[in-house]
Amino acid sequence: MPGTLRLLQEFSNVRVEVESLTGSGSNNRPKMTLLLNYVNKTDKELVIGLPGLWADTFLLDSKGNTYRFEHGTGLGGSSPFPGLGGGILLHVPSKDSAAASLSFAVPCCPSPEVKKNSPFRFSSQQALVENDRPRSGLNLSIRDIPLAQ
């Protein structure tokens, strides 16, 4: 849509775009869901993974509350690749894109009160994978992501 500000981070071979951030779930199990789009700028397939420490992938609200990564669809789960510490690999075809949905636990005791359009920061250490091994890092840090609710 023209005039819409796109939240993204550019790398030489891939662009990571924020599609949306939503909050959902019951009071017993609230969660935040971040939808990302990975755009491959190269002529070959890219494989992206979450290496080992999931603590390196989180959301942070404007009050300093940390929302820890729980699981993902398309990226983050279990994998047969020992060098990745158990992350599902996202395959992004050449000159194409692929989506990933990441879920984060809302901090408890008490849960923070978050309003629509509250700004969040997403931080994640991800890796480009070649021959089943992490090749180079993608250190993502995207700020001012509005909560859509």
Side-chain angles (χ1 to χ4, degrees):
M1 148 170 36
T4 300
L5 177 64
R6 253 345 241 183
L7 295 172
L8 55 88
Q9 188 166 350
E10 293 275 356
F11 297 93
S12 61
N13 43 12
V14 65
R15 179 175 64 243
V16 182
E17 303 171 338
V18 173
E19 294 294 326
S20 66
L21 174 63
T22 56
S24 64
S26 69
N27 290 338
N28 295 342
R29 191 84 173 121
K31 68 177 181 175
M32 306 295 277
T33 302
L34 180 67
L35 182 60
L36 299 173
N37 190 41
Y38 292 77
V39 180
N40 183 347
K41 300 191 266 184
T42 72
D43 291 327
K44 65 178 188 171
E45 178 183 67
L46 293 178
V47 180
I48 299 169
L50 285 176
L53 298 174
W54 287 13
D56 291 337
T57 296
F58 60 89
L59 287 172
L60 192 67
D61 68 20
S62 60
K63 295 177 180 158
N65 297 302
T66 300
Y67 299 68
R68 71 177 171 75
F69 175 69
E70 284 193 323
H71 65 274
T73 302
L75 184 67
S78 60
S79 166
F81 301 100
L84 291 175
I88 287 178
L89 303 177
L90 178 68
H91 294 261
V92 188
S94 67
K95 303 287 185 188
D96 204 351
S97 64
S101 174
L102 305 179
S103 292
F104 300 85
V106 172
C108 69
C109 308
S111 291
E113 186 177 327
V114 181
K115 295 182 168 70
K116 185 176 179 180
N117 293 321
S118 293
F120 280 78
R121 184 184 103 194
F122 170 63
S123 183
S124 180
Q125 291 189 5
Q126 301 180 7
L128 289 172
V129 178
E130 238 176 54
N131 299 321
D132 300 341
R133 298 272 181 239
R135 180 176 61 88
S136 63
L138 297 175
N139 295 316
L140 292 166
S141 181
I142 303 174
R143 297 178 179 272
D144 298 324
I145 302 169
L147 176 63
Q149 281 185 326

PDB file of all heavy atoms in Angstrom, residues 71-91:
ATOM      1  N   HIS A  71       8.228 -20.871  20.113  1.00  0.00           N
ATOM      2  CA  HIS A  71       8.261 -21.764  18.952  1.00  0.00           C
ATOM      3  C   HIS A  71       7.929 -20.965  17.696  1.00  0.00           C
ATOM      4  O   HIS A  71       7.531 -19.805  17.779  1.00  0.00           O
ATOM      5  CB  HIS A  71       7.297 -22.939  19.129  1.00  0.00           C
ATOM      6  CG  HIS A  71       5.859 -22.523  19.171  1.00  0.00           C
ATOM      7  ND1 HIS A  71       5.250 -22.120  20.334  1.00  0.00           N
ATOM      8  CD2 HIS A  71       4.923 -22.417  18.200  1.00  0.00           C
ATOM      9  CE1 HIS A  71       3.992 -21.797  20.072  1.00  0.00           C
ATOM     10  NE2 HIS A  71       3.770 -21.956  18.788  1.00  0.00           N
ATOM     11  N   GLY A  72       8.089 -21.625  16.582  1.00  0.00           N
ATOM     12  CA  GLY A  72       7.797 -20.955  15.323  1.00  0.00           C
ATOM     13  C   GLY A  72       7.212 -21.896  14.304  1.00  0.00           C
ATOM     14  O   GLY A  72       7.286 -23.116  14.437  1.00  0.00           O
ATOM     15  N   THR A  73       6.629 -21.328  13.287  1.00  0.00           N
ATOM     16  CA  THR A  73       6.147 -22.068  12.128  1.00  0.00           C
ATOM     17  C   THR A  73       6.966 -21.571  10.954  1.00  0.00           C
ATOM     18  O   THR A  73       6.999 -20.378  10.686  1.00  0.00           O
ATOM     19  CB  THR A  73       4.649 -21.787  11.891  1.00  0.00           C
ATOM     20  OG1 THR A  73       3.931 -22.141  13.063  1.00  0.00           O
ATOM     21  CG2 THR A  73       4.123 -22.574  10.702  1.00  0.00           C
ATOM     22  N   GLY A  74       7.649 -22.470  10.306  1.00  0.00           N
ATOM     23  CA  GLY A  74       8.535 -22.085   9.219  1.00  0.00           C
ATOM     24  C   GLY A  74       9.951 -21.866   9.701  1.00  0.00           C
ATOM     25  O   GLY A  74      10.895 -22.038   8.975  1.00  0.00           O
ATOM     26  N   LEU A  75      10.119 -21.522  10.984  1.00  0.00           N
ATOM     27  CA  LEU A  75      11.447 -21.277  11.551  1.00  0.00           C
ATOM     28  C   LEU A  75      11.362 -21.469  13.058  1.00  0.00           C
ATOM     29  O   LEU A  75      10.534 -20.850  13.716  1.00  0.00           O
ATOM     30  CB  LEU A  75      11.881 -19.847  11.231  1.00  0.00           C
ATOM     31  CG  LEU A  75      13.271 -19.401  11.645  1.00  0.00           C
ATOM     32  CD1 LEU A  75      14.323 -20.153  10.835  1.00  0.00           C
ATOM     33  CD2 LEU A  75      13.427 -17.920  11.388  1.00  0.00           C
ATOM     34  N   GLY A  76      12.197 -22.348  13.584  1.00  0.00           N
ATOM     35  CA  GLY A  76      12.230 -22.556  15.033  1.00  0.00           C
ATOM     36  C   GLY A  76      11.447 -23.775  15.448  1.00  0.00           C
ATOM     37  O   GLY A  76      10.259 -23.822  15.336  1.00  0.00           O
ATOM     38  N   GLY A  77      12.094 -24.798  15.895  1.00  0.00           N
ATOM     39  CA  GLY A  77      11.450 -26.039  16.308  1.00  0.00           C
ATOM     40  C   GLY A  77      12.532 -27.057  16.520  1.00  0.00           C
ATOM     41  O   GLY A  77      13.501 -26.787  17.201  1.00  0.00           O
ATOM     42  N   SER A  78      12.404 -28.214  15.882  1.00  0.00           N
ATOM     43  CA  SER A  78      13.478 -29.202  16.016  1.00  0.00           C
ATOM     44  C   SER A  78      14.012 -29.540  14.640  1.00  0.00           C
ATOM     45  O   SER A  78      13.323 -29.425  13.641  1.00  0.00           O
ATOM     46  CB  SER A  78      12.960 -30.460  16.712  1.00  0.00           C
ATOM     47  OG  SER A  78      11.916 -31.013  15.950  1.00  0.00           O
ATOM     48  N   SER A  79      15.271 -29.963  14.606  1.00  0.00           N
ATOM     49  CA  SER A  79      15.944 -30.200  13.335  1.00  0.00           C
ATOM     50  C   SER A  79      16.997 -31.286  13.513  1.00  0.00           C
ATOM     51  O   SER A  79      17.559 -31.435  14.589  1.00  0.00           O
ATOM     52  CB  SER A  79      16.618 -28.909  12.869  1.00  0.00           C
ATOM     53  OG  SER A  79      17.527 -29.174  11.831  1.00  0.00           O
ATOM     54  N   PRO A  80      17.301 -32.007  12.449  1.00  0.00           N
ATOM     55  CA  PRO A  80      18.351 -33.023  12.535  1.00  0.00           C
ATOM     56  C   PRO A  80      19.756 -32.426  12.428  1.00  0.00           C
ATOM     57  O   PRO A  80      20.717 -33.144  12.416  1.00  0.00           O
ATOM     58  CB  PRO A  80      18.054 -33.920  11.337  1.00  0.00           C
ATOM     59  CG  PRO A  80      17.428 -33.013  10.343  1.00  0.00           C
ATOM     60  CD  PRO A  80      16.619 -32.033  11.166  1.00  0.00           C
ATOM     61  N   PHE A  81      19.885 -31.114  12.368  1.00  0.00           N
ATOM     62  CA  PHE A  81      21.181 -30.496  12.127  1.00  0.00           C
ATOM     63  C   PHE A  81      21.847 -30.129  13.447  1.00  0.00           C
ATOM     64  O   PHE A  81      21.440 -29.175  14.102  1.00  0.00           O
ATOM     65  CB  PHE A  81      21.038 -29.268  11.229  1.00  0.00           C
ATOM     66  CG  PHE A  81      20.431 -29.616   9.910  1.00  0.00           C
ATOM     67  CD1 PHE A  81      19.086 -29.386   9.668  1.00  0.00           C
ATOM     68  CD2 PHE A  81      21.190 -30.217   8.928  1.00  0.00           C
ATOM     69  CE1 PHE A  81      18.521 -29.732   8.459  1.00  0.00           C
ATOM     70  CE2 PHE A  81      20.628 -30.575   7.714  1.00  0.00           C
ATOM     71  CZ  PHE A  81      19.289 -30.335   7.479  1.00  0.00           C
ATOM     72  N   PRO A  82      22.903 -30.879  13.850  1.00  0.00           N
ATOM     73  CA  PRO A  82      23.526 -30.652  15.148  1.00  0.00           C
ATOM     74  C   PRO A  82      24.162 -29.273  15.286  1.00  0.00           C
ATOM     75  O   PRO A  82      24.191 -28.722  16.366  1.00  0.00           O
ATOM     76  CB  PRO A  82      24.592 -31.755  15.242  1.00  0.00           C
ATOM     77  CG  PRO A  82      24.840 -32.171  13.835  1.00  0.00           C
ATOM     78  CD  PRO A  82      23.552 -31.923  13.086  1.00  0.00           C
ATOM     79  N   GLY A  83      24.634 -28.697  14.221  1.00  0.00           N
ATOM     80  CA  GLY A  83      25.275 -27.394  14.277  1.00  0.00           C
ATOM     81  C   GLY A  83      24.298 -26.266  14.560  1.00  0.00           C
ATOM     82  O   GLY A  83      24.700 -25.145  14.820  1.00  0.00           O
ATOM     83  N   LEU A  84      22.991 -26.547  14.496  1.00  0.00           N
ATOM     84  CA  LEU A  84      21.993 -25.501  14.710  1.00  0.00           C
ATOM     85  C   LEU A  84      21.292 -25.616  16.050  1.00  0.00           C
ATOM     86  O   LEU A  84      20.410 -24.837  16.352  1.00  0.00           O
ATOM     87  CB  LEU A  84      20.959 -25.521  13.588  1.00  0.00           C
ATOM     88  CG  LEU A  84      21.497 -25.087  12.245  1.00  0.00           C
ATOM     89  CD1 LEU A  84      20.445 -25.249  11.177  1.00  0.00           C
ATOM     90  CD2 LEU A  84      21.973 -23.661  12.291  1.00  0.00           C
ATOM     91  N   GLY A  85      21.667 -26.581  16.854  1.00  0.00           N
ATOM     92  CA  GLY A  85      21.085 -26.682  18.184  1.00  0.00           C
ATOM     93  C   GLY A  85      19.591 -26.888  18.185  1.00  0.00           C
ATOM     94  O   GLY A  85      18.900 -26.512  19.112  1.00  0.00           O
ATOM     95  N   GLY A  86      19.025 -27.433  17.128  1.00  0.00           N
ATOM     96  CA  GLY A  86      17.613 -27.790  17.129  1.00  0.00           C
ATOM     97  C   GLY A  86      16.686 -26.777  16.511  1.00  0.00           C
ATOM     98  O   GLY A  86      15.574 -26.612  16.972  1.00  0.00           O
ATOM     99  N   GLY A  87      17.059 -26.079  15.487  1.00  0.00           N
ATOM    100  CA  GLY A  87      16.162 -25.129  14.846  1.00  0.00           C
ATOM    101  C   GLY A  87      15.680 -25.618  13.493  1.00  0.00           C
ATOM    102  O   GLY A  87      16.449 -26.165  12.722  1.00  0.00           O
ATOM    103  N   ILE A  88      14.393 -25.438  13.208  1.00  0.00           N
ATOM    104  CA  ILE A  88      13.859 -25.766  11.888  1.00  0.00           C
ATOM    105  C   ILE A  88      14.461 -24.800  10.882  1.00  0.00           C
ATOM    106  O   ILE A  88      14.662 -23.624  11.178  1.00  0.00           O
ATOM    107  CB  ILE A  88      12.328 -25.665  11.876  1.00  0.00           C
ATOM    108  CG1 ILE A  88      11.730 -26.835  12.641  1.00  0.00           C
ATOM    109  CG2 ILE A  88      11.784 -25.657  10.443  1.00  0.00           C
ATOM    110  CD1 ILE A  88      10.226 -26.800  12.722  1.00  0.00           C
ATOM    111  N   LEU A  89      14.727 -25.293   9.712  1.00  0.00           N
ATOM    112  CA  LEU A  89      15.328 -24.475   8.670  1.00  0.00           C
ATOM    113  C   LEU A  89      14.255 -23.914   7.752  1.00  0.00           C
ATOM    114  O   LEU A  89      13.358 -24.622   7.324  1.00  0.00           O
ATOM    115  CB  LEU A  89      16.329 -25.307   7.867  1.00  0.00           C
ATOM    116  CG  LEU A  89      17.444 -25.932   8.691  1.00  0.00           C
ATOM    117  CD1 LEU A  89      18.335 -26.792   7.809  1.00  0.00           C
ATOM    118  CD2 LEU A  89      18.244 -24.878   9.406  1.00  0.00           C
ATOM    119  N   LEU A  90      14.368 -22.633   7.447  1.00  0.00           N
ATOM    120  CA  LEU A  90      13.463 -21.959   6.521  1.00  0.00           C
ATOM    121  C   LEU A  90      14.150 -21.913   5.160  1.00  0.00           C
ATOM    122  O   LEU A  90      15.243 -21.354   5.038  1.00  0.00           O
ATOM    123  CB  LEU A  90      13.155 -20.544   7.004  1.00  0.00           C
ATOM    124  CG  LEU A  90      12.252 -19.699   6.107  1.00  0.00           C
ATOM    125  CD1 LEU A  90      10.834 -20.277   6.092  1.00  0.00           C
ATOM    126  CD2 LEU A  90      12.222 -18.263   6.590  1.00  0.00           C
ATOM    127  N   HIS A  91      13.522 -22.515   4.143  1.00  0.00           N
ATOM    128  CA  HIS A  91      14.067 -22.519   2.789  1.00  0.00           C
ATOM    129  C   HIS A  91      13.409 -21.395   1.997  1.00  0.00           C
ATOM    130  O   HIS A  91      12.186 -21.347   1.886  1.00  0.00           O
ATOM    131  CB  HIS A  91      13.810 -23.867   2.107  1.00  0.00           C
ATOM    132  CG  HIS A  91      14.557 -24.988   2.761  1.00  0.00           C
ATOM    133  ND1 HIS A  91      15.740 -25.460   2.268  1.00  0.00           N
ATOM    134  CD2 HIS A  91      14.300 -25.703   3.889  1.00  0.00           C
ATOM    135  CE1 HIS A  91      16.185 -26.430   3.042  1.00  0.00           C
ATOM    136  NE2 HIS A  91      15.321 -26.586   4.048  1.00  0.00           N
TER     137      HIS A  91
END
